[in-house]
Amino acid sequence: MKSSNEKFRKLILEAIENGQQGKVKACNENLRSIYKTLKNEPFILWEDVLISQLGKAIIMMLHFDLIDDEEQNIGLAHLSYLFITRGIEQEEKLAQELDTCELFRLRKDRVVLMKSFDDSFVDSLQEFYFSDTKAKNLDEYNEQRKTVLSRLPYLQFADIHLIEQDYSNLRNDEYLLEIANFIEHENEISKENLKEGLLLHKILYKHTYQKLKEGKLFY
């Protein structure tokens, strides 16, 4: 088992390195192998510190259109979210040994995911907001989706806010600064909105974990 996990860990790091170096063909081969393993053992690295890197590898799967099926890609986005958030959870538990550089990377990865594939999370969030109010017609359904879409920036901004607690001016990261400026320009983010974003992260994490545990996450 240890040998199998070690091979899988190396495969993930190799995929990320190939992707960052622009070796798309080699990266896709790595990603297909990773995907095959995840189909059989989704919790293979649940207790491993490399789980967040597995989440990053899944972002690459989405960016490179490894899977054609839209529903599977939605599931993969949730899987990536779950693994990155698990990495954040593990890092935050270290307390005295907390690595702010690692937390920066993890939270930025989650912002990238939530920004690039925000549509993937609309249905899940709609379940939370309107669990007791099923849409009676298409117009009502579209209004509910519009409400949920207006909340997605709160989740992105929640991570940006947390990063800012460790790094003023977001470590001068151009990507994060651009998103922060856009969100603040389009939305007046209040303390209540920020709390809502942080709460939604907790709910989405638990919801996705439960679906995967019960074998109900399609990817």
Side-chain angles (χ1 to χ4, degrees), residues 59-81:
I59 293 178
M60 288 182 168
M61 291 182 195
L62 295 167
H63 275 305
F64 293 150
D65 297 319
L66 194 77
I67 306 296
D68 290 331
D69 187 272
E70 184 180 350
E71 288 301 312
Q72 283 179 278
N73 281 321
I74 289 173
L76 282 173
H78 280 74
L79 206 58
S80 177
Y81 177 87

Side-chain angles (χ1 to χ4, degrees), residues 4-219:
S4 173
N5 279 21
E6 191 56 38
K7 285 180 183 177
F8 192 55
R9 286 164 56 92
K10 287 179 180 176
L11 185 62
I12 293 164
L13 294 175
E14 190 177 316
I16 292 172
E17 185 178 355
N18 282 332
Q20 290 173 340
Q21 291 179 357
K23 300 176 181 177
V24 178
K25 185 178 178 181
C27 180
N28 278 338
E29 287 177 5
N30 297 144
L31 293 174
R32 286 191 188 93
S33 297
I34 291 168
Y35 178 75
K36 186 177 179 181
T37 298
L38 281 177
K39 288 292 285 183
N40 296 320
E41 299 179 80
F43 287 105
I44 184 171
L45 292 185
W46 188 251
E47 300 298 336
D48 197 295
V49 293
L50 208 70
I51 192 161
S52 62
Q53 294 283 46
L54 178 54
K56 188 181 185 78
I58 296 172
I59 293 178
M60 288 182 168
M61 291 182 195
L62 295 167
H63 275 305
F64 293 150
D65 297 319
L66 194 77
I67 306 296
D68 290 331
D69 187 272
E70 184 180 350
E71 288 301 312
Q72 283 179 278
N73 281 321
I74 289 173
L76 282 173
H78 280 74
L79 206 58
S80 177
Y81 177 87
L82 181 68
F83 294 159
I84 292 170
T85 307
R86 171 63 174 169
I88 292 172
E89 180 183 64
Q90 288 176 324
E91 194 63 38
E92 287 177 334
K93 283 180 180 176
L94 295 176
Q96 296 292 332
E97 300 171 33
L98 193 68
D99 185 344
T100 55
C101 286
E102 180 65 4
L103 268 178
F104 173 86
R105 182 188 70 77
L106 294 171
R107 287 180 176 139
K108 180 179 177 181
D109 282 348
R110 194 161 70 173
V111 172
V112 169
L113 175 70
M114 298 301 287
K115 179 65 178 173
S116 301
F117 306 101
D118 53 357
D119 284 352
S120 297
F121 299 96
V122 173
D123 287 341
S124 292
L125 294 176
Q126 199 164 344
E127 285 180 36
F128 310 149
Y129 277 101
F130 301 101
S131 56
D132 299 323
T133 317
K134 187 163 178 147
K136 300 180 183 67
N137 52 54
L138 184 59
D139 286 341
E140 195 172 320
Y141 174 78
N142 287 333
E143 279 302 311
Q144 288 183 359
R145 287 185 72 82
K146 192 188 293 185
T147 299
V148 169
L149 281 166
S150 72
R151 263 49 178 202
L152 281 166
Y154 300 169
L155 286 99
Q156 298 161 28
F157 196 80
D159 274 323
I160 288 170
H161 170 78
L162 291 170
I163 290 170
E164 208 164 26
Q165 306 313 296
D166 295 321
Y167 296 100
S168 60
N169 205 40
L170 299 174
R171 211 178 178 184
N172 295 318
D173 186 287
E174 290 184 13
Y175 178 83
L176 293 175
L177 286 169
E178 184 179 339
I179 290 179
N181 289 334
F182 177 79
I183 291 173
E184 289 176 323
H185 178 72
E186 296 292 320
N187 310 266
E188 289 185 15
I189 303 291
S190 65
K191 287 183 180 179
E192 288 71 26
N193 297 152
L194 183 58
K195 285 180 182 176
E196 188 175 348
L198 293 168
L199 177 62
L200 286 173
H201 273 305
K202 290 179 181 178
I203 294 171
L204 186 58
Y205 178 53
K206 288 180 181 177
H207 174 77
T208 307
Y209 173 79
Q210 199 59 35
K211 283 190 78 172
L212 184 62
K213 189 178 178 182
E214 293 172 1
K216 295 178 180 177
L217 188 66
F218 177 67
Y219 62 92

